[in-house]
Amino acid sequence: KWDLPTASPASNFHTENIAQFAADVDKASGGKLRIQVHPNASLFKAPEIKRAVQGGQAQAGEILLVNFENEDPLYGLDGIPFLATSYGESLKLYKASRKALDDKLAKQGMKLLFAVPWPPQGIYTKRTLASVNDMKGLKWRAYSPATAKIAELVGAQPMTVQAAEVSQALATGVIDSYMSSGATGFDSKTYEHIKNWYDTQAWLPKNAVIVNKKAFDALDKATQAALLKAAADAETRGWKLSEEKNGWYVAQLKGKGMNILKPSDQLTADLRRVGNHMLAEWQRKAGDDGKKVIEAYRAQQ
Ligand code: PCA
């Protein structure tokens, strides 16, 4: 019996996908491997899940890769604004980086089972934004080093708040803006506090389901095969689900009275400049390994 902690609520599409994955594993292994999913950061908080899997406190877990960019730039690849902005591009970026990602995790005693993107990231803000000048002084919720960096570059005040605490941070006025998907805006009932969402489609960060290597190796061959098959299915299903539910989530926000806004040309150009700056910085930090991944990504375009 395995534990699999996640940070999202049970109703989130990632968690639903993982619940299906666990059910598939149970069935395909003839009940030999039972995976208990712990949603909503109930077992470990989002930033603690990776270390818990590494240390074997949990056999498996779901992490947001960009949370770990300070550990290694590779984890931050899919959080670079405007590098990959659609599901198609995001899949290419994943293909270009999957091996490097799995190798990195292997060095840390883990294994990548599957990864699924969040829907494209837009800006939740009480203010209306004509350009990045209007972002100065925003109380900006960050969920990763890159989203904190954006705040720094546009003159906003970054504050790290995990998704599970966004609702609280909005209610108490600690934050008045952030970038994320329609999914997280819906899960956190952001529409109760913020009226505007700029659909910038800036990047699609991925969640990854990882497993402790020793726990994996301890399974018999047939169970390992069943697990990997269910993981491959979950990956395919998760990418589809993310794309399908993206429209649904945005429609819910609209239904709750939010303005879904197309960013102005000026705002788009300004944000792209921010993205270019961050890509250059990322490439400096990621060195030759990073260069290879970016080249493999560009080669598919
Ligand atoms: N939701 C997560 C990460 C990206 C997303 O869409 C969050 O806001 O924490």
Side-chain angles (χ1 to χ4, degrees), residues 69-70 73 280-287:
E69 179 167 12
N70 288 341
E281 202 166 73
W282 186 88
Q283 283 177 302
R284 267 198 305 281
K285 273 194 239 154

Side-chain angles (χ1 to χ4, degrees), residues 4-299:
L4 193 163
T6 83
S8 298
S11 60
N12 178 274
F13 76 93
H14 283 295
T15 319
E16 286 177 349
N17 190 40
I18 290 172
Q20 179 68 54
F21 161 71
D24 289 352
V25 170
D26 189 333
K27 199 164 163 214
S29 71
K32 262 196 186 164
L33 180 57
R34 291 237 153 86
I35 300 178
Q36 187 174 354
V37 182
H38 302 268
N40 222 9
S42 57
L43 199 56
F44 293 99
K45 297 217 177 304
E48 297 164 358
I49 293 175
K50 181 161 173 284
R51 200 173 323 187
V53 175
Q54 187 169 9
Q57 288 95 330
Q59 292 82 4
E62 184 194 36
I63 61 169
L64 175 62
L65 291 167
V66 290
N67 267 349
F68 304 95
E69 179 167 12
N70 288 341
E71 225 178 78
D72 192 293
L74 189 64
Y75 293 127
L77 176 69
D78 59 15
I80 301 169
F82 302 105
L83 179 60
T85 63
S86 63
Y87 281 92
E89 286 181 357
S90 176
L91 187 59
K92 285 176 184 168
L93 191 64
Y94 181 41
K95 283 187 178 150
S97 59
R98 195 191 197 286
K99 170 95 177 43
L101 213 48
D102 200 27
D103 289 350
K104 191 112 307 171
L105 286 163
K107 280 201 191 114
Q108 300 183 319
M110 292 173 281
K111 187 174 166 57
L112 177 63
L113 285 179
F114 61 94
V116 172
W118 286 92
Q121 308 286 290
I123 306 177
Y124 291 96
T125 166
K126 291 196 179 190
R127 279 189 212 162
T128 53
L129 307 175
S131 72
V132 293
N133 272 335
D134 296 330
M135 296 171 77
K136 287 210 174 83
L138 285 177
K139 291 191 265 179
W140 181 264
R141 175 249 173 175
Y143 64 73
S144 61
T147 48
K149 182 76 194 180
I150 291 173
E152 190 190 303
L153 291 171
V154 305
Q157 300 166 29
M159 164 87 64
T160 299
V161 179
Q162 298 310 323
E165 271 103 50
V166 162
S167 167
Q168 167 95 354
L170 285 168
T172 55
V174 171
I175 58 166
D176 60 14
S177 55
Y178 67 99
M179 264 180 111
S180 191
S181 58
T184 294
F186 178 75
D187 288 347
S188 63
K189 298 194 164 75
T190 288
Y191 47 80
E192 290 180 353
H193 307 278
I194 289 182
K195 281 281 160 266
N196 305 307
W197 189 65
Y198 287 90
D199 188 9
T200 54
Q201 306 184 9
W203 71 92
L204 292 81
K206 290 187 295 298
N207 275 0
V209 172
I210 55 175
V211 60
N212 178 287
K213 185 79 170 56
K214 280 197 194 120
F216 180 81
D217 290 342
L219 300 173
D220 63 44
K221 287 276 171 266
T223 308
Q224 286 182 353
L227 182 72
L228 294 178
K229 166 74 168 65
D233 290 348
E235 186 161 279
T236 307
R237 185 176 62 236
W239 280 74
K240 250 207 215 133
L241 201 57
S242 177
E243 190 163 7
E244 281 166 15
K245 281 211 84 175
N246 179 30
W248 183 87
Y249 280 123
V250 175
Q252 301 310 301
L253 298 180
K254 223 185 226 170
K256 299 286 185 185
M258 284 198 77
N259 307 313
I260 308 302
L261 303 163
K262 186 177 176 300
S264 70
D265 290 348
Q266 185 63 54
L267 181 60
T268 301
D270 290 350
L271 290 171
R272 283 193 173 265
R273 246 194 316 277
V274 167
N276 289 340
H277 177 100
M278 288 173 64
L279 176 59
E281 202 166 73
W282 186 88
Q283 283 177 302
R284 267 198 305 281
K285 273 194 239 154
D288 280 347
D289 288 351
K291 197 167 163 227
K292 270 186 222 144
V293 170
I294 297 283
E295 276 169 9
Y297 170 55
R298 302 271 194 227

